[in-house]
Amino acid sequence: MAFEFRLPDIGEGVAEGEVVQWFVQEGGTVQEDAPLVSVLTDKANVEIPSPKTGRIVKLHAAVGDKVKVGGLLVTIETDGPAGAAPTASAAPATPVAPEVPPAPTSGTAPAVAKAPSPSPPPRPVGGPVAVSPYLRRMANERGIDLSKVTGTGPGGRITEADLLGTSGTRGTGASSPAPTEASPGTPAPPAPPAPAPAPPAVPDAEVAERVPIRGVRRVIAEHMVEATHRPAPFTYVEEIDASELVLLRDKMAKHVEKRGTRLSYLPFIVKGVVAGLKAHPWMNATMDDARNELLVRSAYHIGIATAAPDGLLVPVVRHADQKSLNEIAREIQDLAERGRAGKLSRTELSGSTFTITSLGALGGVLATPILNYPEVGILGVHRIVRRPVYRADGSVGPADLMNLSVTLDHRVLDGIVGAQFLATVKSYLEDPHQLFADLR
């Protein structure tokens, strides 16, 4: 009997997942509870086991396709009675092919993308709504009823162009009211701007390879677009004399590393950041753009930007204010190792209230970090360099110096807030003994 398996509900708030890897192929067999498919949601890979033992009749989504919760994934021929797995939606959803065009990169083996199937007709008005979270928020802000909008994207997906051509009145039709004839003497309305010319085609002879933007890289791309379109970023930089921090870290590392944990400067910086957030609570906040509200957070969940093979991840150290230096160091090390292995859960990659990004020894002199939206602040950490400095008594001597840069959402935070916050962090890092005496 043919068994149709649909994408189950794989987490709160998850509406769709991208197929990253199939562990089976058409015509092959699979055992119940054996790995069936890996699906990506918000940078976290979820491995879904097979619900049945049988032969794979058809895979209904290719690697790179997005499938909605309840969408058909695979048909399995079993010995039992026919049936379908319970779903979260009444009708099967059509996998949505990647919308981001391939872009040439270097150092990566070319990936072969499956040819897209013909696009189905647009979704009728009033049917199930297929729309990204970014466009859903845009619709809420403009007062647009999505159920009244006809999606013209693949599978009836609503595009930004569909929203821009829609009236902002809830419950009205999908089209803007027709313009009325101007009365005599009334100046004609200005003509709409001409569409931007399409970019020139790149000759095939000049393309070294075509790499589809999908998986974690596509999630990062979508987040970066939102993080640059919504906030109004502003960056402030401060120089830190880390000489005392270097000495303290060297002494404490001897004790911490006996327990198998590498002690970098990052746990010290997390401690300093928490002190700064407590002194300036509005920095520990996230934006609710749908309600136009700033949510000042009472918990201190610090995101740590981490490089992984598939792209940048931001695992979260939760309740960092309640943890010792050793606990923070151990947790950062564990999150980084599992992040590089692709073993972090969606929960471990979400919910941060403030983010720290650092390239360690490659930290450079200065960078302007992009906000981890909807957070309103992010700290950039740069490498420590020993240089001569003039001291207050007029003498010249060596010092271990580094730059810290903080990027703010200037819509809700003025530059003075960022300067005060960074001054607080600076004071604790230049005299770290006041924070890090407790080593549990």
Side-chain angles (χ1 to χ4, degrees), residues 232-249:
F234 166 80
T235 300
Y236 175 80
V237 183
E238 180 63 274
E239 184 178 65
I240 310 295
D241 184 345
S243 301
E244 290 294 325
L245 177 59
V246 170
L247 292 174
L248 181 59
R249 180 261 173 195

Side-chain angles (χ1 to χ4, degrees), residues 71-363:
L72 187 57
L73 278 174
V74 60
T75 300
I76 305 174
E77 185 74 25
T78 69
D79 294 332
T87 69
S89 59
T94 304
V96 179
E99 296 178 5
V100 180
T105 61
S106 59
T108 308
V112 179
K114 183 177 178 180
S117 56
S119 298
R123 176 189 60 81
V125 173
V129 176
V131 63
S132 69
Y134 168 68
L135 294 182
R136 189 178 295 277
R137 279 193 292 270
M138 180 186 292
N140 288 337
E141 293 171 359
R142 293 169 177 249
I144 298 173
D145 185 350
L146 289 173
S147 66
K148 305 295 185 182
V149 180
T150 300
T152 60
R157 191 177 186 85
I158 294 175
T159 68
E160 186 168 358
D162 298 330
L163 288 186
L164 295 177
T166 300
S167 170
T169 305
R170 293 190 181 273
T172 62
S175 301
S176 300
T180 57
E181 184 178 355
S183 58
T186 302
V202 178
D204 289 341
E206 297 181 8
V207 178
E209 56 183 315
R210 292 182 181 271
V211 181
I213 306 300
R214 60 190 181 197
V216 171
R217 177 51 56 188
R218 177 178 16 206
V219 174
I220 292 173
E222 292 171 351
H223 286 183
M224 291 299 99
V225 169
E226 189 167 31
T228 52
H229 281 190
R230 284 191 171 274
F234 166 80
T235 300
Y236 175 80
V237 183
E238 180 63 274
E239 184 178 65
I240 310 295
D241 184 345
S243 301
E244 290 294 325
L245 177 59
V246 170
L247 292 174
L248 181 59
R249 180 261 173 195
D250 289 345
K251 291 180 180 179
M252 297 185 73
K254 299 176 184 178
H255 305 286
V256 173
E257 293 179 359
K258 288 180 181 178
R259 309 180 187 187
T261 301
R262 179 180 177 273
L263 183 61
S264 68
Y265 293 104
L266 199 50
F268 296 86
I269 294 170
V270 170
K271 282 280 194 180
V273 162
V274 169
L277 295 176
K278 287 184 175 182
H280 308 283
W282 276 34
M283 293 288 299
N284 191 54
T286 52
M287 273 297 295
D288 184 346
D289 277 299
R291 297 185 178 183
N292 200 31
E293 293 177 346
L294 178 70
L295 307 181
V296 180
R297 309 291 290 274
S298 58
Y300 299 90
H301 303 322
I302 308 301
I304 307 294
T306 304
D310 291 333
L312 193 67
L313 303 177
V314 186
V316 181
V317 177
R318 299 187 181 279
H319 302 290
D321 59 315
Q322 301 173 18
K323 296 177 178 176
S324 70
L325 183 73
N326 187 43
E327 290 171 330
I328 293 173
R330 187 166 57 243
E331 188 166 344
I332 289 175
Q333 180 174 309
D334 172 66
L335 290 170
E337 291 174 354
R338 291 192 294 116
R340 286 189 287 269
K343 296 181 179 179
L344 292 176
S345 68
R346 182 171 179 265
T347 300
E348 292 172 312
L349 291 167
S350 59
S352 55
T353 61
F354 187 92
T355 294
I356 299 173
T357 180
S358 169
L359 285 176
L362 298 175

